[in-house]
Amino acid sequence: MQIQRILTEMHNDDLRDKNMMGLPHQSAITLLRKFQSGLKREHFTVSGDSAISGHGWNHTCAYFCVQEHVHVSTYMYDQVLIRQMMGFRGRLLQCACRSGFQQFVRGKASQAAAVKPFVYQDMLQFENQPDINWKKLTGDYVSTFEVKGKKMLHVQPEALTLIAEQAMVDIAHLLRPGHLKQLASILTDPEASNNDKFVALELLKNASIAADMVLPGCQDTGTAICMGKKGQYVWTEGGDGEALSKGVYNTYINRNLRYSQVAPLDMYQEINTGTNLPAQIEIYATDSSQYDFLFLAKGGGSANKTFLYQQTKALLNPEKLLSFVNEKVKTLGTAACPPYHLALVIGGTSAEYNLKTVKLASTKYLDTLPTTGNEHGRGFRDLELEQEIHTLTQRLGIGAQFGGKYFCHDVRVIRLPRHGASCPVGLGVSCSADRQIVGKITEEGVFLEQLETNPSKYLPLIEEKDLSETVIEVNMNQPMTEMLSQLNQFPIRTRLSLSGTLIVARDIAHAKLKERLDSGNGLPQYIKDHPVYYAGPAKTPEGYASGSFGPTTAGRMDSYVDQFQAAGGSMIMLAKGNRSREVTKACKKHGGFYLGSIGGPAAILAENCIKSVEVMEYPELGMEAIWKVEVTNFPAFIVVDNKGNDFFKEWQVE
């Protein structure tokens, strides 16, 4: 475009043939050959005319060299050639035949040499501060002193440990009021499906039980993440990461939470750390006199639904972008427990900055960004596109796990600056266990965001019987052949109420069973006689039959299904989320079923459905052991049947 503009000016000023002495034809051709990878003869056109040739070609080459000399390194990578260009420019100026041309050249060179002034701008620059209801934990562990006339805030390590410990306690059991209001609104929406309403009601009930601060809202109590922004007038004793990690440790050790972190002993052998450490600690320097925090507990299900796509400028038009989003959103599936808070980030100075922004956007941390960009590259929210994409998700039909409108509660779209040769696009979610909280330490004390301690106020006067059709009761203590015969009578989407014995096994347990199969020992009888539930319990509180015991993501066990069913096991599987086509094929081939449990309400399952838990095998695996549980009225849906039908098939991407 720059070449086209210059040549057009030459044409308009009648300089191409009148005001300029031509150089030898061979000189121009030789020069252009030197940087032929960047410029080609056919690029030199004026106002749609054919390629310049002969005398005009010489003029074109010479004129381009004069106009572009300050940018010559863009096109040439040989320093000798650059020096040749500078000398060439000098000779050209000497041979110019009119002073008007020389003045024209000097003016253009002056414009090209103009330097833009320095402007610093944070890429994520907030327009205002969010309105947060704070609760004070303590006024201890903070004090002030002066250095060179400036007031400094002294924060003792106990303050860091306290804020991290209480933050992780709160987000394991409590949710933000806004999230609960969104769940409650589903129940009064006439466009919501019965399945949407059923899931929303279960999640509200679950939140009410978790708010008793005994059972966590989700059995996957997550990776602990802490982002701190430390003002330049804040002074600590050092070791901030250690003090924050101690708070995380205290919570997971002393509460009924699951240890999910595994440490590699070598490239292939791993062991559970037994504390849920390490935590992910990030501390940034800011211009303030306080210490600000964002705490998250990120479960494996939602973390695994974070994606990076390396795209190009070609994506940046409305039609292509919406088509792209439509395709990629379908791949999220329901394994991470919708309804989701969806985040889309376009651009970014690096891939990792893009994905960092995805995580922050999904927590609403970036809600007060500006809604327009500027020439310096500030990030902004695109409110119009957020609404378009939200509408798109409502029309997919996936809904809150089993069909309907509420695949997503809301959408956040953030646009960032990018390198001209790169266009990263990030997509991620915060799931129905929407666990985050902000905190701060000031000279007044230690503060955390106040989460909702009374979720039951969002429960409507509505009963489950008003939400869906007949529920089929299934006795899981009858022979497997009879259970399969009963399920064979009903289509996918059918609601079930399960009572009886379940065998609980997840990733490592499946690997152990496969080793037995591969060695010729066959599968144990219990995996043939009973349905298998993909799950892993949190710690059991005193006086309870079980800790939080919700389903885990089914897709991680897909590779085992065909082999296990061929050996008579895993004929009925229970978990959350969609499965691969190989599972659908295996169920049709062997006569099996996959039942979907509602993802999210782990506490209500422990409180109301699970009556007893005992270890069957591999106790050394901790939560990954094989368990036997007795349940009553355990809610489920038929997702994949023995005829090749899959509830999620229409949303699968080829």
Side-chain angles (χ1 to χ4, degrees):
M1 295 301 295
Q2 179 79 343
I3 298 168
Q4 180 70 37
R5 178 183 61 78
I6 292 170
L7 293 176
T8 302
E9 290 174 359
M10 289 173 61
H11 180 76
N12 293 339
D13 292 339
D14 199 26
L15 293 171
R16 186 177 66 174
D17 291 319
K18 295 180 181 178
N19 296 350
M20 182 175 172
M21 290 178 62
L23 297 175
H25 179 76
Q26 189 58 42
S27 298
I29 297 300
T30 300
L31 180 64
L32 288 177
R33 283 176 178 167
K34 295 268 190 177
F35 53 105
Q36 61 184 350
S37 62
L39 300 173
K40 296 181 180 179
R41 180 166 175 153
E42 60 264 31
H43 292 165
F44 292 89
T45 59
V46 182
S47 303
D49 294 341
S50 60
I52 300 172
S53 59
H55 192 244
W57 175 246
N58 297 340
H59 289 175
T60 297
C61 174
Y63 193 84
F64 176 77
C65 294
V66 173
Q67 295 300 307
E68 296 297 304
H69 74 278
V70 294
H71 302 298
V72 71
S73 61
T74 301
Y75 304 102
M76 291 179 258
Y77 306 93
D78 187 317
Q79 295 300 314
V80 174
L81 184 55
I82 292 174
R83 288 196 294 272
Q84 290 175 352
M85 279 290 291
M86 295 297 98
F88 180 66
R89 172 178 175 268
R91 290 196 298 276
L92 176 62
L93 290 175
Q94 291 173 5
C95 75
C97 63
R98 291 189 181 181
S99 60
F101 176 69
Q102 291 176 321
Q103 184 177 0
F104 181 81
V105 169
R106 283 195 296 271
K108 291 295 182 181
S110 176
Q111 292 175 21
V115 177
K116 196 170 185 178
F118 170 78
V119 174
Y120 175 75
Q121 177 182 261
D122 193 328
M123 270 193 287
L124 298 177
Q125 184 180 62
F126 300 108
E127 285 196 324
N128 50 66
Q129 293 300 315
D131 184 18
I132 297 172
N133 183 20
W134 297 101
K135 69 174 181 179
K136 187 174 183 178
L137 303 184
T138 183
D140 298 336
Y141 313 126
V142 296
S143 59
T144 60
F145 63 98
E146 284 196 3
V147 174
K148 295 184 177 182
K150 299 289 187 181
K151 183 189 286 188
M152 303 288 292
L153 174 64
H154 178 206
V155 177
Q156 297 177 38
E158 290 87 350
L160 299 175
T161 298
L162 174 63
I163 195 171
E165 180 174 350
Q166 191 59 50
M168 300 314 296
V169 169
D170 284 5
I171 61 179
H173 300 91
L174 306 175
L175 294 164
R176 284 174 165 164
H179 177 83
L180 294 165
K181 288 177 183 177
Q182 288 176 312
L183 284 172
S185 68
I186 295 174
L187 297 173
T188 58
D189 183 355
E191 296 181 354
S193 70
N194 287 335
N195 286 332
D196 283 335
K197 293 179 179 182
F198 176 69
V199 171
L201 182 61
E202 291 299 299
L203 291 173
L204 284 171
K205 289 179 178 179
N206 188 74
S208 298
I209 292 172
D212 290 335
M213 309 302 282
V214 177
L215 294 165
C218 179
Q219 82 287 348
D220 183 349
T221 45
T223 296
I225 301 172
C226 170
M227 182 182 75
K229 292 188 174 180
K230 187 177 183 179
Q232 83 270 34
Y233 297 120
V234 176
W235 187 77
T236 63
E237 307 287 346
D240 292 16
E242 181 179 357
L244 292 164
S245 293
K246 181 63 182 300
V248 173
Y249 168 88
N250 289 346
T251 295
Y252 280 84
I253 288 292
N254 297 321
R255 296 283 178 155
N256 301 305
L257 309 184
R258 196 176 80 185
Y259 308 141
S260 298
Q261 305 306 306
V262 292
L265 303 179
D266 55 34
M267 184 56 70
Y268 308 105
Q269 300 298 313
E270 296 177 318
I271 188 172
N272 193 295
T273 64
T275 62
N276 212 56
L277 294 179
Q280 180 179 321
I281 310 289
E282 302 174 3
I283 300 175
Y284 300 89
T286 59
D287 298 332
S288 77
S289 56
Q290 65 185 45
Y291 212 150
D292 295 295
F293 297 93
L294 171 66
F295 296 94
L296 300 87
K298 195 70 172 174
S302 62
N304 293 342
K305 296 302 179 180
T306 305
F307 299 100
L308 176 72
Y309 310 98
Q310 292 288 8
Q311 297 297 301
T312 67
K313 166 70 174 173
L315 183 69
L316 300 181
N317 68 73
E319 182 180 352
K320 287 188 178 180
L321 181 57
L322 284 173
S323 175
F324 172 87
V325 172
N326 181 61
E327 175 186 333
K328 300 307 180 185
V329 164
K330 291 178 183 178
T331 68
L332 293 174
T334 63
C337 307
Y340 298 134
H341 300 280
L342 180 70
L344 175 73
V345 177
I346 300 166
T349 49
S350 64
E352 61 271 23
Y353 194 84
N354 175 285
L355 292 180
K356 174 73 173 180
T357 307
V358 168
K359 181 173 290 183
L360 294 177
S362 72
T363 69
K364 297 183 168 59
Y365 188 79
L366 304 179
D367 275 11
T368 59
L369 286 179
T371 55
T372 60
N374 66 15
E375 63 177 319
H376 305 298
R378 73 181 182 188
F380 67 92
R381 283 182 64 188
D382 189 325
L383 302 182
E384 182 179 348
L385 188 55
E386 288 179 1
Q387 186 55 52
E388 285 187 78
I389 294 175
H390 191 209
T391 300
L392 180 155
T393 67
Q394 292 174 330
R395 292 173 178 169
L396 289 176
I398 301 175
Q401 306 190 28
F402 297 100
K405 175 182 177 182
Y406 282 93
F407 187 53
C408 295
H409 283 304
D410 49 42
V411 177
R412 294 293 182 269
V413 177
I414 309 295
R415 183 68 161 88
L416 297 175
R418 65 184 182 89
H419 185 288
S422 176
C423 185
V425 177
L427 186 67
V429 301
S430 181
C431 66
S432 59
D434 189 39
R435 296 174 293 193
Q436 59 268 327
I437 191 171
V438 293
K440 65 179 181 180
I441 301 177
T442 70
E443 62 180 282
E444 284 79 33
V446 182
F447 299 84
L448 277 176
E449 175 185 1
Q450 179 65 65
L451 302 182
E452 182 56 69
T453 57
N454 183 26
S456 60
K457 70 183 182 183
Y458 296 99
L459 285 167
L461 297 175
I462 189 169
E463 300 294 331
E464 288 182 30
K465 62 182 176 60
D466 301 319
L467 298 179
S468 61
E469 299 173 358
T470 303
V471 179
I472 305 303
E473 295 186 1
V474 178
N475 175 14
M476 295 187 296
N477 289 330
Q478 62 183 319
M480 177 59 69
T481 54
E482 294 184 20
M483 276 188 280
L484 293 172
S485 177
Q486 181 182 9
L487 293 176
N488 182 58
Q489 302 173 42
F490 303 101
I492 57 173
R493 292 184 174 85
T494 300
R495 276 190 63 194
L496 306 173
S497 178
L498 310 177
S499 297
T501 303
L502 285 171
I503 297 299
V504 177
R506 48 183 287 153
D507 306 62
I508 298 178
H510 274 69
K512 293 284 189 183
L513 294 176
K514 185 179 187 305
E515 289 175 5
R516 289 161 69 163
L517 259 183
D518 293 342
S519 64
N521 293 324
L523 291 174
Q525 192 62 35
Y526 58 74
I527 205 76
K528 300 178 181 180
D529 291 342
H530 303 288
V532 59
Y533 179 37
Y534 302 157
K539 285 186 290 187
T540 302
E542 186 175 351
Y544 284 71
S546 167
S548 289
F549 213 145
T552 194
T553 305
R556 299 200 308 273
M557 270 58 75
D558 285 1
S559 62
Y560 300 102
V561 174
D562 186 47
Q563 184 182 15
F564 281 24
Q565 288 189 344
S570 296
M571 296 304 296
I572 299 175
M573 301 160 286
L574 175 65
K576 67 175 181 179
N578 46 306
R579 308 297 296 265
S580 65
R581 288 183 180 83
E582 64 180 313
V583 172
T584 305
K585 293 177 181 177
C587 286
K588 183 177 181 180
K589 177 181 176 183
H590 303 292
F593 289 82
Y594 166 56
L595 312 180
S597 177
I598 300 171
I604 196 172
L605 294 176
E607 176 96 346
N608 297 338
C609 301
I610 298 176
K611 302 306 177 183
S612 67
V613 178
E614 63 178 281
V615 176
M616 288 289 291
E617 274 197 279
Y618 309 114
E620 70 277 8
L621 298 180
M623 71 159 187
E624 294 272 2
I626 296 178
W627 305 79
K628 177 183 177 182
V629 299
E630 296 295 327
V631 302
T632 301
N633 299 323
F634 193 108
F637 290 76
I638 299 178
V639 178
V640 176
D641 65 15
N642 59 350
K643 306 173 185 65
N645 299 309
D646 180 356
F647 169 76
F648 293 106
K649 182 178 181 180
E650 65 182 284
W651 299 294
Q652 290 176 340
V653 178
E654 294 294 341

